Amino acid sequence: MVEGHDQETPRGTASPYHTTTHLRNDTSSETPEPSQQPLPSSGPRSTTAPKQVVDIRHIRQNPDLYAQNCRERNYPTAAAYPARINDLFAQWQAQRLEGRGLRERANRLRRQLANPRNTSLDDPSTNPLPSPSTREHLLEEGRRLKAALTTIEDAEASLTAEMEALALAIPNLTSDATPRGTEPRVLSYINDHPEPEPALSDRVWRSHVHIGQELGVLDLASATKASGWGWYYLLDEAAQLEQALVSYALAAATRAGWRQVSPPSLVYGHIAAACGFQPRDTDGLTQVYAVAQSAEDAARGKPELVLAGTAEIPLAGMQADATLDESSLPMKRVAVSRCYRAEAGARGADTKGLYRVHEFTKVELFAWSTPDADAAEDLFDEMIDLQTELLESLGLHCRVLEMPAADLGASATRKCDIETFFPSRRERNDGWGEVTSASICTDYQTRRLATRVKVDGKVLWPWTVNGTALAVPRVLAAILEHGWDEDEKSVQIPEVLWPWMDGRTKIGPRQHYGR
């Protein structure tokens, strides 16, 4: 395929839409062509996996931009990939040129074999044919050329595969709105701080772990025996509170026009990888729970199944290998799911209780937009507004952050987190802990999932936007700490949740229950 002003380029490349302002106008009207190469850490790809498309040309044309982007996002290894891709492309071009000469020579051989009397087919200026040109000699020469071409084609395929694998491992370009460095930018606050300065009295803020155990609604010890560290039991009112939070978030999202989905918890590993969630990190540690395969299934090439770390993955997978109609966008979905995170190496005092666990319930927002920055940002702002509405109504003190480049995952071009204040964590990060996140992923996921959209007769790549409506355990933990009444030994339930709590207004000793 001839692409743009390049003389030749490997198959499986196309120009993307870009997020940064100085790149946003670099678009293409070409129909996307598929690329079948795997992400380096995703293992062998199933033949049923979506055909991934990677924009090698743009990386080759902007190697310094991509290398700097990798360094800013804390992908030091990937920073070397753009230069490596250019080296491989030079080798590919050399192989291509050599192959072209051999093909021209093979064509002349075929013509001479078809008409041996026409000696004018010999062109002494370029690799003249052997003289005398006997048929036997010509056939032998043809076999030699065929073997040489096979070697060259294999080399071209290998070089293309390596280029695409490297390109797929490079993170998305970073938005101009994203702060560079490691420090987030505070955009706004939600609700008043419950204690702006540490009290002069001997008042002690209780952890949600202590509160939950004292009220008998949180059992970590039994979960440790049954499942190990990072698992938990919610009991009685806490279990009911979990369902109340889910119902409240779903009701708010549905009112705002988000269509409900009940997604699967198991997805193919290549779907998770295409969304930017790798089964293993750079240290080889497991970050995603994989389902063991039988030797027979592995031998047949059956795709590996993994437990979804977030509903974002199965939601994105809904439109894998699909071509959307422009009139269907924006396509907005909301899903409740159990989420599974291996969280390798995460254990410690900083993660005690419900703050970092292996399984939890989350209400997730996911949307597809036209490949346009303004359309995606409208959805992004809508998600943050909904997150703000939910957390504000729950009475939690929060701050909205524009996250820095070093904090972005592979797929996001821009990310905003909302952190709430956990009184018991004041000695760590001034008490702030993340409870929601929202990201714009441009066409990073749709290219890897082969999700297309027809716009004015052209087949392009839609953009994806995702966000947390409510991560239940952390919000529940914050409610326990914010609502704790030390004198009464009870927790005040936010009023917006009362309809789902059978009218109960507090969690505490039975005689203190409000009805």
Side-chain angles (χ1 to χ4, degrees):
M1 183 181 83
V2 178
E3 184 176 293
H5 59 266
D6 291 331
Q7 291 181 347
E8 293 179 273
T9 193
R11 295 189 63 189
T13 62
S15 251
Y17 283 83
H18 295 283
T19 299
T20 49
T21 302
H22 61 286
L23 294 174
R24 193 177 296 154
N25 292 328
D26 182 17
T27 62
S28 169
S29 61
E30 295 175 313
T31 298
E33 294 193 17
S35 161
Q36 303 183 48
Q37 300 307 321
L39 289 166
S41 61
S42 62
R45 283 180 64 79
S46 164
T47 55
T48 63
K51 305 302 185 293
Q52 301 180 99
V53 179
V54 56
D55 185 5
I56 295 176
R57 182 177 68 173
H58 196 268
I59 296 171
R60 288 193 292 101
Q61 291 174 342
N62 301 274
D64 294 339
L65 169 68
Y66 279 90
Q68 179 64 22
N69 184 64
C70 290
R71 287 189 290 268
E72 290 174 346
R73 295 175 70 139
N74 199 26
Y75 282 72
T77 301
Y81 293 171
R84 174 62 178 161
I85 288 171
N86 272 335
D87 289 342
L88 293 168
F89 184 73
Q91 296 176 43
W92 181 89
Q93 283 185 312
Q95 293 287 336
R96 194 75 166 177
L97 183 61
E98 183 178 354
R100 180 187 296 168
L102 292 177
R103 289 184 186 92
E104 290 173 354
R105 183 166 175 78
N107 288 337
R108 290 194 296 112
L109 279 171
R110 281 193 292 271
R111 291 197 298 270
Q112 180 124 10
L113 283 167
N115 189 2
R117 294 185 179 183
N118 189 354
T119 57
S120 64
L121 292 173
D122 289 346
D123 183 358
S125 66
T126 57
N127 297 322
L129 292 169
S131 181
S133 296
T134 65
R135 182 174 179 79
E136 287 277 343
H137 204 148
L138 291 174
L139 289 172
E140 178 60 30
E141 179 75 356
R143 285 190 288 269
R144 186 187 66 79
L145 288 173
K146 182 178 180 181
L149 278 170
T150 298
T151 300
I152 286 175
E153 288 167 357
D154 289 345
E156 288 178 1
S158 177
L159 290 166
T160 299
E162 187 175 352
M163 282 187 283
E164 291 182 339
L166 291 172
L168 284 163
I170 294 174
N172 201 352
L173 288 174
T174 306
S175 167
D176 291 338
T178 298
R180 270 45 178 182
T182 60
E183 293 300 317
R185 181 170 64 244
V186 178
L187 300 179
S188 61
Y189 288 90
I190 302 170
N191 293 328
D192 293 333
H193 199 299
E195 193 175 69
E197 299 295 335
L200 298 177
S201 67
D202 59 358
R203 178 183 182 185
V204 177
W205 285 99
R206 290 214 185 188
S207 160
H208 69 274
V209 176
H210 298 125
I211 295 169
Q213 291 175 340
E214 182 164 337
L215 296 177
V217 296
L218 176 62
D219 187 350
L220 299 174
S222 296
T224 300
K225 291 185 291 184
S227 305
W229 175 86
W231 307 84
Y232 58 95
Y233 288 101
L234 295 178
L235 307 172
D236 301 321
E237 293 85 356
Q240 188 176 10
L241 185 60
E242 177 183 49
Q243 298 305 313
L245 286 166
V246 167
S247 298
Y248 176 54
L250 269 182
T254 303
R255 283 196 305 269
W258 295 76
R259 185 176 172 186
Q260 289 191 35
V261 177
S262 180
S265 294
L266 284 170
V267 296
Y268 288 137
H270 58 253
I271 297 294
C275 292
F277 290 80
Q278 297 296 338
R280 288 165 182 80
D281 64 16
T282 55
D283 297 321
L285 298 174
T286 298
Q287 298 297 324
V288 175
Y289 289 112
V291 178
Q293 277 189 314
S294 67
E296 293 79 6
D297 285 345
R300 292 202 308 267
K302 185 175 180 180
E304 179 186 53
L305 284 168
V306 300
L307 285 165
T310 167
E312 172 191 343
I313 300 170
L315 287 174
M318 287 182 73
Q319 300 301 332
D321 272 329
T323 300
L324 311 178
D325 190 270
E326 183 182 12
S327 63
S328 68
L329 301 179
M331 187 182 294
K332 304 190 297 184
R333 301 291 184 262
V334 58
V336 180
S337 73
R338 296 293 278 181
C339 304
Y340 301 88
R341 308 282 178 88
E343 302 285 9
R347 183 174 181 176
D350 187 51
T351 60
K352 186 178 180 182
L354 297 176
Y355 190 78
R356 193 181 299 279
V357 292
H358 294 308
E359 180 182 4
F360 58 95
T361 301
K362 182 155 72 84
V363 183
E364 180 77 1
L365 303 166
F366 191 88
W368 295 262
S369 79
T370 53
D372 175 76
D374 291 337
E377 286 171 8
D378 285 345
L379 286 167
F380 184 68
D381 291 341
E382 182 180 342
M383 287 182 180
I384 296 174
D385 287 345
L386 181 57
Q387 292 169 342
T388 300
E389 173 192 332
L390 292 171
L391 294 170
E392 182 177 35
S393 65
L394 292 172
L396 302 179
H397 175 57
C398 306
R399 63 178 184 177
V400 183
L401 304 176
E402 186 79 53
M403 300 308 292
D407 192 76
L408 301 186
S411 61
T413 185
R414 181 185 176 193
K415 182 163 79 89
C416 282
D417 286 356
I418 299 182
E419 296 180 336
T420 193
F421 176 70
F422 289 85
S424 67
R425 295 168 56 86
R426 187 151 205 165
E427 299 304 315
R428 298 184 291 274
N429 194 31
D430 293 327
W432 297 110
E434 177 195 342
V435 289
T436 74
S437 182
S439 300
I440 300 175
C441 297
T442 64
D443 58 7
Y444 180 97
Q445 295 174 330
T446 54
R447 282 179 168 273
R448 288 157 174 77
L449 290 167
T451 304
R452 299 166 170 84
V453 61
K454 288 184 178 179
V455 179
D456 297 329
K458 301 173 184 177
V459 180
L460 304 173
W461 309 99
W463 284 15
T464 58
V465 187
N466 68 79
T468 310
L470 215 60
V472 175
R474 289 189 182 181
V475 171
L476 192 151
I479 288 173
L480 291 179
E481 294 191 15
H482 275 255
W484 175 248
D485 187 315
E486 180 69 26
D487 296 329
E488 196 176 70
K489 297 296 188 292
S490 67
V491 170
Q492 181 69 36
I493 298 171
E495 185 175 352
V496 292
L497 301 180
W498 291 356
W500 292 280
M501 293 296 294
D502 297 329
R504 182 172 289 126
T505 62
K506 295 180 181 180
I507 302 173
R510 297 293 175 184
Q511 64 270 27
H512 288 163
Y513 283 163
R515 291 287 183 178

